[in-house]
Each structure stands twice: as C-alpha cells, then as structure tokens.
Amino acid sequence: GESVGLHLPTLSVQEGDNSIINCAYSNSASDYFIWYKQESGKGPQFIIDIRSNMDKRQGQRVTVLLNKTVKHLSLQIAATQPGDSAVYFCAETQFGGQGGKLIFGQGTELSVKP
Amino acid sequence: NAGVTQTPKFQVLKTGQSMTLQCAQDMNHEYMSWYRQDPGMGLRLIHYSVGAGITDQGEVPNGYNVSRSTTEDFPLRLLLAAPSQTSVYFCASSRGTGDSPLHFGNGTRLTVT
C-alpha cells in the first residue's frame, strides 16, 4: 500500500558533523512534504517543507532535498548540535490541496554525541 | 500566541469509561486534526475538520467522535475506552491550504487500564 518510510531507524553522529536523514515515499501524487522534529514529551515541531515543483530548499542549518524520480526525500542538518537530538519524521500529503491530512513515516532517532 | 493547546496532559481511564480530550488553537486556522502516536508506528490520523461544522474520518476513527462547533476548538471524545486506545494523542491545526504545515500541540498521554 501507499506509505512513507525511513531507511534508518537510528542515527548517531558526532557534534559538529553533518547529519543526513533519509525518507522514501511511494505515492507519486504527493505534492507537499514536511520534516518534523519531535523531542521527548513534546509534539512534532515543523522544521522545513518542500513542494513537489522544487528539488531543494534551505533553511537555517537544514536543507531538504527531493528526488521525485526515485521518490526520495532527505533532511540534511549542518554542524549538528546536541540540541538536534530528537526523532525526525517525514510526512507527505496524498490528497492535493489538503495540506493538513498528512501521512507520516515511522521516524528516525538522531543522537548527537558531544 | 499560545498556538495549539491540549488538555489534559495525562489521563488514566478504566475500560468502559468515557472522556473528552480538549484542543484549542488561537491562530484562526481552518484545518484541525487529531493523531495518535504509538511506539514504532508513527502518527496516524484519527479525525479531521476543514472548518467549523465539518468533520471527517481519518485512518483510525473507530472508537472516537469529534465535533467542530467553533473555529478554535476541536474536542476528541472517547465513548467507551479500551486498552487499545492507550496512546499519546496529538491535536494539530493548519491554514488548510496545500502548502501549509501542521502545527501540533504537546499531546495528551492516555492510559486505559
């Protein structure tokens, strides 16, 4: 069935290194993708989004790349900091303009070692 | 702005009891939704609303009711609580356009014994 999934359930990086979190999606009709960060005991927090008419979008220390050919999404975090430790989710919309009806992946836990 | 506010933060119910999880947003968002988060399963959509007076089912609606009488509030009702409903529940809102991200509350952790 249609799904959004992550290749790696856990990722451990050294402080200061760059982190890359990957996500695969299966529905070519999806037109909007979002990355969320979730810290323990809190709700998911919006990080960055990208529309299907773009390949790359940059924020502060974060970059999202979208490869529609292979249905792949990635989140790059530059100079990873201990405060980046959290679970990261990718999500997609599969119903055109209903931006709030998202399908989430299972999440990747990022652990930053000082 | 407070954003999305959920109450209570924690709740313990006995099987068969009922309760309402409250959700309010102050961003004048049209779209609101409820998700549940279980270990290893990510977030799954329970119900959603595209505006006051309009609600629809998501992926896992059974055992839950919602209503949307105002733009600000979107309560989730558990009619007859079951242990399978033990989960963390998140309410979220957005402008509802095709490229507007969801904003989440901090969740309600529910345990049904």
Side-chain angles (χ1 to χ4, degrees), chain A residues 43-44, chain B residues 1-7 9 22-29 31-34 72-74 89-94 101-107:
Chain B
N1 285 346
V4 179
T5 302
Q6 291 183 239
T7 56
K9 287 183 172 24
Q22 301 293 342
C23 176
Q25 53 92 8
D26 61 0
M27 297 173 282
N28 201 31
H29 284 167
Y31 188 100
M32 296 185 74
S33 53
W34 277 100
E72 294 78 20
D73 301 297
F74 191 44
Y89 292 85
F90 289 101
C91 180
S93 71
S94 78
L102 281 176
H103 298 267
F104 285 85
N106 281 326

Side-chain angles (χ1 to χ4, degrees), chain A residues 68-107:
Chain A
K68 295 180 287 294
T69 301
V70 295
K71 297 187 184 66
H72 185 267
L73 192 68
S74 68
L75 176 70
Q76 300 178 359
I77 304 173
T80 313
Q81 303 169 359
D84 295 326
S85 293
V87 177
Y88 290 81
F89 293 94
C90 64
E92 63 174 304
T93 56
Q94 297 187 353
F95 296 95
Q98 293 190 32
K101 198 172 179 180
L102 298 176
I103 303 296
F104 284 83
Q106 289 190 320

Side-chain angles (χ1 to χ4, degrees), chain A residues 32 34 36 38 41-44 46 49 51 89 97-102 104-106, chain B residues 31 35 37 40-43 45 48 90 94 96-102 104-106:
Chain A
Y32 180 53
I34 308 172
Y36 286 93
Q38 186 176 26
K42 296 185 178 180
F46 170 80
D49 57 0
R51 299 187 68 177
F89 293 94
Q98 293 190 32
K101 198 172 179 180
L102 298 176
F104 284 83
Q106 289 190 320
Chain B
Y31 188 100
Y35 286 82
Q37 185 175 34
M41 299 188 72
L43 289 90
L45 181 64
Y48 66 98
F90 289 101
S94 78
T97 58
D99 59 353
S100 56
L102 281 176
F104 285 85
N106 281 326

Side-chain angles (χ1 to χ4, degrees), chain A residues 10-14 17 19 108-113:
Chain A
T10 60
L11 178 64
S12 183
V13 301
Q14 204 69 37
D17 288 350
S19 302
T108 291
E109 183 173 7
L110 176 65
S111 176
V112 182
K113 296 179 288 186

